[in-house]
Amino acid sequence: MSERSWKEIPIGGIIEEAGNADSYETGSWRTYRPIWDAEKCIHCLACWIACPDSSILLEDGKMVGIDYAHCKGCGICAFECPDKISALEMVLETDAAAAK
Amino acid sequence: MARRLTLTGNDAAAEAMRQIDPDVVTCFPITPQTELMHKFADFVADGEVKAEMVLVESEHSAMSAAVGAASAGARVMTATSANGLALMWEIVYIAASNRLPIVMPVVNRALSGPINIHCDHSDTMGCRDTGWIQLYSENAQEVYDNILQAILIAENPDVLLPVMVTFDGFIISHTVEVLDALEDKEASDWVGEYKAMYTLLDTEKPATFGPLDLQDYYFEHKRQQIEGMSNATGVIKSVGKAYEKLSGRAYGMTERYMTDDADYVVVALGSTCGTAKVVVDEMRAEGKRVGLLKIRSFRPFPHAEIVAGLASAKAIGVLDRSVSFGAPGGPVHKEILAALSGTGHQTSIVNYLYGLGGRDISLDHIRSVFEELETVAGKTIAPNEVRFIGLRG
Ligand code: SF4
Ligand code: SF4
């Protein structure tokens, strides 16, 4: 992020550019990482509807993965995934990183 | 053509609001402000104004609704007093930080507890670091004039800060006085139309208001606020000059009442200035060189005007109508000390605390301040040597 002087930015914290949250990578805030099991997934999209960070990635109406650059690890997707399916599991970020 | 009216301070404020006819007025009642909004609600009910009046369930909501409406690009006003202002507190800061030019009459009243509905300045003095401009009014005429000027000050693109126009509870708010008001057309031409720089409703130019602002930019936004407040000094003066052309009544950062050659000067704000002027007149007739320095703009604080206004003074009595607990003196006193520090001005400064909870201040009280100042001239007064007016010993 380019850091500008107080004379160069809009007053009052106004953000003039629409949709620029995309350039703010909130993925680094994560403590737990959602791990998706493509085999189990039935593409009901409950996780996609509920994710507060628009981090469930779709292609042609099907779930294809998770945007880890923005996913904050809230766990809502795993909670909403139907119990019988359980295609999403929350794993400690440190464990997930170690497993790689 | 002026219209001569006979109104209470509250009704004078409502009259100014009728002529401004803001887009949105948010409101929750509290004594002694209630009659102000009551009167304005009459104007709404009678179809005399087009303003959208939003009645809410608390002052926190009144200020929140004002912030929302102002973010949407509306010209917004609300009003409050004392504990109502205290309940708004969180959002009072946000209004200033988001640079929303809301104008709010505040009818000064003591903060509880113990419960008291009468005048002192503890409510607005507690707000002196919220980032709002503060204009104090001496009488109903100034209430009316300050509100009309506040709109132009707040909305000036170099300022864009909210303004509190304060006046003393009951002493001004409920006392009937004669004042001159502008014609409706003059007033509406004066305030003109407000065009917000950003609005939530402009889908062509979408903007985000009040986002998270962390270590990387918050400091820069505060620096901008400092700049806006600093620009306000020039704008208050130029708006005052323009208003003088329109109304014949002059307004600046301060009013210097017979201070030019004065040996002894009282510094005050609000309705007590009217009482002090009578004493100054009486004592001048007796050949005493006394004067009053009235502070109209407390935020931004008029450092240059204070130094100029006190240039000849051998002793200064600073009147505070609120306490800064644990500090050497009251809020006004501290500002005066700061304004004079480093200027090389040698003078004796005495702080007087008066009028808490509506305790009367009389002509005799102010005369005795001047008489005491004559005895202290040339002496060093410790900043924490506060004296009390009208307190039982
Ligand atoms: S953990 Fe939260 S942020 Fe991440 S994908 Fe799931 S719902 Fe979205
Ligand atoms: S909620 Fe579970 S099953 Fe449904 S799309 Fe998401 S991961 Fe797949």
Side-chain angles (χ1 to χ4, degrees), chain A residues 3-25:
Chain A
E3 298 201 336
R4 287 174 290 160
S5 114
W6 64 272
K7 292 176 186 161
E8 298 165 336
I9 54 174
I11 58 166
I14 295 275
I15 297 175
E16 292 170 321
E17 190 190 336
N20 76 349
D22 196 40
S23 60
Y24 197 172
E25 301 207 343

Side-chain angles (χ1 to χ4, degrees), chain B residues 234-253:
Chain B
V235 172
I236 291 169
K237 288 188 210 169
S238 62
V239 168
K241 285 225 162 62
Y243 192 77
E244 182 182 2
K245 260 201 195 135
L246 177 66
S247 69
R249 293 181 293 278
Y251 284 90
M253 298 292 282

Side-chain angles (χ1 to χ4, degrees), chain B residues 4-66:
Chain B
R4 183 143 290 190
L5 306 174
T6 315
L7 297 173
T8 63
N10 273 339
D11 284 357
E15 172 66 5
M17 287 177 67
R18 180 187 69 76
Q19 293 183 313
I20 294 164
D21 195 358
D23 299 311
V24 174
V25 171
T26 68
C27 163
F28 190 81
I30 182 168
T31 299
Q33 171 269 123
T34 304
E35 287 78 3
L36 191 173
M37 280 299 184
H38 187 171
K39 185 75 189 174
F40 187 77
D42 279 351
F43 294 139
V44 175
D46 294 344
E48 289 190 44
V49 290
K50 295 197 287 286
E52 174 94 25
M53 192 156 188
V54 186
L55 304 177
V56 291
E57 72 283 11
S58 77
E59 285 86 354
H60 189 276
S61 304
M63 187 48 69
S64 299

Side-chain angles (χ1 to χ4, degrees), chain A residues 35-38 40-49 56 58 61-64 66 76-83 85-89:
Chain A
I35 304 289
W36 176 59
D37 186 337
K40 291 188 191 166
C41 178
I42 57 166
H43 304 284
C44 69
L45 304 192
C47 58
W48 175 75
I49 292 168
I56 302 294
L58 300 192
K62 295 207 164 176
M63 178 168 179
V64 293
I66 293 163
I76 292 174
C77 53
F79 183 84
E80 293 298 335
C81 186
D83 286 348
I85 309 297
S86 290
L88 285 161
E89 189 194 352

Side-chain angles (χ1 to χ4, degrees), chain B residues 44-219:
Chain B
V44 175
D46 294 344
E48 289 190 44
V49 290
K50 295 197 287 286
E52 174 94 25
M53 192 156 188
V54 186
L55 304 177
V56 291
E57 72 283 11
S58 77
E59 285 86 354
H60 189 276
S61 304
M63 187 48 69
S64 299
V67 163
S71 303
R75 175 180 276 161
V76 186
M77 295 183 73
T78 183
T80 194
S81 288
N83 293 48
L85 183 58
L87 186 53
M88 283 180 180
W89 194 254
E90 177 191 15
I91 316 298
V92 167
Y93 271 88
I94 291 171
S97 305
N98 285 11
R99 309 301 295 274
L100 302 171
I102 297 163
V103 172
M104 173 165 69
V106 180
V107 188
N108 285 117
R109 160 183 155 181
L111 280 168
S112 300
I115 297 172
N116 181 299
I117 58 166
H118 289 280
C119 174
D120 69 32
H121 296 157
S122 52
D123 49 5
T124 50
M125 281 297 164
C127 271
R128 62 193 187 275
D129 290 340
T130 54
W132 283 59
I133 292 165
Q134 292 191 331
L135 302 178
Y136 284 75
S137 318
E138 180 187 321
N139 49 40
Q141 180 73 64
E142 292 194 3
V143 171
Y144 172 85
D145 292 338
N146 280 338
I147 291 172
L148 282 168
Q149 290 173 71
I151 298 285
L152 266 64
I153 297 164
E155 293 172 2
N156 185 293
D158 293 331
V159 177
L160 283 175
L161 288 171
V163 182
M164 286 179 200
V165 173
T166 85
F167 54 103
D168 289 350
F170 293 102
I171 301 165
I172 299 177
S173 68
H174 285 60
T175 307
V176 172
E177 289 184 276
V178 173
L179 65 139
D180 289 331
L182 303 177
E183 296 290 346
D184 286 359
K185 171 92 171 58
E186 283 176 324
S188 59
D189 287 350
W190 165 260
V191 294
E193 204 179 317
Y194 170 52
K195 280 251 173 301
M197 202 185 286
Y198 300 97
T199 115
L200 278 176
L201 302 180
D202 186 352
T203 50
E204 299 294 309
K205 202 177 115 194
T208 304
F209 282 70
L212 191 66
D213 195 23
L214 302 178
Q215 299 95 323
D216 48 0
Y217 276 108
Y218 182 88
F219 204 169

Side-chain angles (χ1 to χ4, degrees), chain A residues 5 19 27 46 49 51 54 73-74 82 87 91 100:
Chain A
S5 114
I49 292 168
C51 172
S54 309
C74 65
V91 178
K100 262 200 173 164

